[in-house]
Amino acid sequence: DGGITQSPKYLFRKEGQNVTLSCEQNLNHDAMYWYRQDPGQGLRLIYYSQIVNDFQKGDIAEGYSVSREKKESFPLTVTSAQKNPTAFYLCASSAMWAEETQYFGPGTRLLVL
Amino acid sequence: GIQVEQSPPDLILQEGANSTLRCNFSDSVNNLQWFHQNPWGQLINLFYIPSGTKQNGRLSATTVATERYSLLYISSSQTTDSGVYFCAVERDSGAGSYQLTFGKGTKLSVIP
């Protein structure tokens, strides 16, 4: 089946710890995105990547980092600099030159201990 | 930046009823999408609709880009329609990258 997978489903972070969220897609999409969702809110863009080895900051990039070493993978690291990391994190992808529908993964819930 | 406002914020329907959700946006956009987020958090794209009207089963959507709004119609609602409906607009940030700006959503509860 083609789609987007995210892992883990739940993640717990301790004070001062960096954690990495995984996002993998087998849709052969060029573009990938990371969003953050807080309770009762819409999604906000953290980072996006149009092609391998390239990525751009979104609206709320502070305290996060990403890499895009492979077309299929776009991991997100939540660093200790992110002071309020508790949220639901969603990864998405889209084909660059086709209709720009974004397809979403099932999400990762990050909780701070 | 662009503003996206959705109304109503909350909606409770009896099963079988019809409803209309509205999305207003503050500036010209390249495109507009409607999503449904189920109670487990999964987002599903419903419509990709820059203008005009599209229908998919009991759902239909209309976007009037010149007046900067879009409507999502749900007919004969079912309990499985419950969840949050998001409108998201695409702005062209240049270099072929399309970024979505989301509204805060309409939370729909369909009761038996």
Side-chain angles (χ1 to χ4, degrees), chain A residues 6-72:
Chain A
Q6 291 186 241
S7 62
K9 189 172 182 178
Y10 295 95
L11 186 58
F12 299 93
R13 195 191 92 165
K14 296 179 182 179
E15 288 286 334
Q17 187 181 40
N18 293 354
V19 292
T20 297
L21 285 60
S22 169
C23 177
E24 303 277 333
Q25 55 99 0
N26 61 3
L27 300 168
N28 199 33
H29 285 168
D30 289 302
M32 296 187 74
Y33 312 81
W34 273 105
Y35 294 90
R36 168 180 171 139
Q37 185 179 25
D38 293 284
Q41 302 295 314
L43 281 65
R44 292 182 290 167
L45 183 65
I46 305 173
Y47 267 99
Y48 65 96
S49 168
Q50 300 173 55
I51 56 173
V52 174
N53 293 322
D54 183 64
F55 47 83
Q56 307 295 329
K57 292 181 179 180
D59 298 323
I60 55 165
E62 186 174 353
Y64 300 97
S65 66
V66 293
S67 62
R68 187 86 186 274
E69 297 178 0
K70 299 187 299 182
K71 187 176 184 178
E72 306 80 30

Side-chain angles (χ1 to χ4, degrees), chain A residues 37 45 48 50 99-100 104, chain B residues 33 37 42 48 90 95 97:
Chain A
Q37 185 179 25
L45 183 65
Y48 65 96
Q50 300 173 55
E99 192 175 56
E100 295 292 336
F104 283 80
Chain B
Q33 297 184 41
Q37 186 172 39
Q42 178 74 56
Y48 181 81
E90 286 184 12
S97 173

Side-chain angles (χ1 to χ4, degrees), chain B:
Chain B
I2 192 167
Q3 304 298 314
V4 181
E5 294 185 0
Q6 292 186 242
S7 60
D10 295 278
L11 184 60
I12 300 174
L13 293 178
Q14 198 77 40
E15 197 169 23
N18 303 330
S19 63
T20 301
L21 282 57
R22 187 177 180 100
C23 172
N24 293 335
F25 43 97
S26 62
D27 204 346
S28 300
V29 297
N30 290 327
N31 226 310
L32 184 144
Q33 297 184 41
W34 283 97
F35 293 90
H36 175 228
Q37 186 172 39
N38 68 23
W40 298 271
Q42 178 74 56
L43 262 84
I44 303 295
N45 181 276
L46 298 175
F47 293 102
Y48 181 81
I49 183 165
S51 62
T53 297
K54 291 185 177 179
Q55 181 155 7
N56 184 3
R58 296 180 296 102
L59 303 181
S60 64
T62 295
T63 297
V64 184
T66 53
E67 297 185 24
R68 300 180 183 170
Y69 74 89
S70 183
L71 302 173
L72 178 69
Y73 305 95
I74 304 174
S75 64
S76 303
S77 59
Q78 301 176 358
T79 55
T80 52
D81 295 331
S82 297
V84 183
Y85 289 81
F86 288 105
C87 167
V89 299
E90 286 184 12
R91 63 188 189 277
D92 184 357
S93 63
S97 173
Y98 296 87
Q99 297 182 51
L100 286 178
T101 298
F102 283 76
K104 292 186 176 182
T106 291
K107 184 177 180 181
L108 175 64
S109 301
V110 181
I111 56 178

